[in-house]
Amino acid sequence: MKTAKTMFVVFAALLLAAGSLVVGKGEAAEDKVSFYANITAIEPIMEAFSKATGIKGEYTRISTAKFLSTVFTEFEANKLMADVIQAPLPVLEMLKEKGIIATYVSPESAKYPAWANKNGIQLFGIEYVGIIYNKELVKPEDVPKRYQDLADPKWKDRIVMANPASHATTICWLIGLRENVFASDQEWREFLKGLAANRPMFVASFGPTPAPIESGEKQIGISMPKYIVTKAPAPLDWARVQNQPLMGTPRAMGISSKAPHPEAAKKFMDYWLSKDAMTLLANDVGEYVLAPGVFPPIDGMDKAKVIPIRELADDEIARWGEEFKKIFAIR
């Protein structure tokens, strides 16, 4: 007959084994989720997700320019810590081709337009770009009514924009103007010539564009209207161009094929795509989202036509970057 001590040891061993099985199923181990993204100012959603689920959200911001190299390097070294990855659609598609993105279709995706789901890559917004300006320094009658107005000599030395030779989204946006706004290639090139003649200040990305407008160093810029929300109470507004769309690169996300926390990753993606999260993203971050009926709290944005621009391949971006470098005389 087994002694009480022996039975206790056996029972304890069984408990430990059961505990190991529970951890193996992922419940105890999946108390956090790692999110790699190029989108900014998303702390409100990360906090809301953690509060709603009890799962800690860890956010790592990676610039678009460094996104592919960072993720590729970590993946090849088997050190990719991301559970969920967010970036412009072309970046996600390249990651998908390399086997880095899994095929997960969230139940929330059914509420989005059919074109917003691409074999597990979910589009949730558009990185919309337009004209923003200092409403204290620019008279209402001087606010551009068309993109063509940026070539008006009155804006000489008053414009700021991301570097069109190196900033991929700006390159895509300029090509978007060519394909969606201007009637001919010649008209588009005349616009570029006039814009270049106005000697814009070039910065590395959209992030630094609002500061010189806010300070009055520059009065107007090619930038993201979302800064009207995130930089408030800065005196910023956006030019409501007439009969012309706001354009931008689709924002996309997917789950890593080697996610350290796959179940937490699904919960995070489901939450991110929910109307509650998309409302936070619009209201607190100023993003233009694809969730039906949700718009950023920017006057007139609910009536704006916002369209996704064509995806450019790497060689197109490189080729146009070189051409813009010459047109804008960038050294």
Side-chain angles (χ1 to χ4, degrees), residues 171 175 179 310-321:
I171 292 170
I175 299 302
E179 297 179 349
R310 182 174 67 87
E311 305 156 28
L312 299 184
D314 283 355
D315 59 340
E316 284 186 283
I317 290 175
R319 176 167 58 83
W320 282 113

Side-chain angles (χ1 to χ4, degrees), residues 2 47 78 80 111 114 119 123 150 202 216 225 278 288 311:
K2 295 181 179 178
E47 293 173 5
N78 204 29
L80 182 61
K111 303 172 185 177
N119 191 29
L123 281 61
L150 288 172
F202 298 128
M278 288 294 100
Y288 191 90
E311 305 156 28

